[in-house]
Amino acid sequence: MNTPAPGSPYAHPPMPSPYPPAPMEMPGGVRTARVCLWVLGGLSTLGGLIFSAVAAFAERGDSEFSVAELGGIAVLSLILGVVSLVLAAKFRTGGNGVRVGALVVSGVVLLNALISLASGAVAGGPGIALGALVLVNCLKRDGVSWFKRMRV
């Protein structure tokens, strides 16, 4: 049977599919980044609550930091935690903006962890690991294609 080659003037024009595209399965790297964001959100929220409690007791002079410094750290940590949790919740349905948001949050966490490690604090290890995992997995090709896929 002679059928015309695709692209020849006698070929049939491509027809749109009557069915919506089959949903993709979330790649493993994207799932890893999502879990890391859940953990980052939980740890940041917990840290913000701890810093706010320490700020409440810092009025007695038990702390080397001022109440304003501790309160600022608490607010920033709570904001970072809530944003991380919201982004992790939007990974299944979100678009490229969710990926960019996750990249920004992971960059902030990574930078903060590196600065705290450089200043002598030992608590920067989880931030470095989780921030790097989110950053790498959201920049990989399958992660980019997941967030730029066509949605129904």
Side-chain angles (χ1 to χ4, degrees):
M1 169 176 227
N2 284 337
T3 58
S8 72
Y10 301 108
H12 294 286
M15 299 295 292
S17 174
Y19 303 107
M24 289 176 53
E25 184 177 333
M26 188 184 296
V30 177
R31 271 190 247 131
T32 302
R34 184 182 191 189
V35 169
C36 289
L37 276 177
W38 282 116
V39 171
L40 275 174
L43 290 176
S44 293
T45 305
L46 181 66
L49 294 174
I50 290 171
F51 272 111
S52 62
V54 170
F57 292 114
E59 294 174 349
R60 297 186 302 173
D62 295 343
S63 176
E64 62 190 55
F65 297 105
S66 72
V67 176
E69 290 172 336
L70 290 171
I73 292 171
V75 167
L76 289 176
S77 183
L78 286 170
I79 290 171
L80 187 66
V82 169
V83 169
S84 296
L85 292 173
V86 168
L87 287 171
K90 298 293 281 180
F91 257 46
R92 176 142 323 267
T93 59
N96 198 40
V98 173
R99 183 181 75 89
V100 171
L103 290 173
V104 169
V105 166
S106 66
V108 168
V109 167
L110 193 58
L111 184 66
N112 185 24
L114 288 173
I115 289 172
S116 70
L117 213 79
S119 69
V122 187
I128 290 174
L130 293 171
L133 277 171
V134 172
L135 197 68
V136 167
N137 285 317
C138 284
L139 288 174
K140 286 186 350 186
R141 185 175 312 187
D142 60 346
V144 173
S145 65
W146 169 258
F147 288 107
K148 291 187 175 183
R149 74 191 185 283
M150 190 170 74
R151 283 164 191 73
V152 180

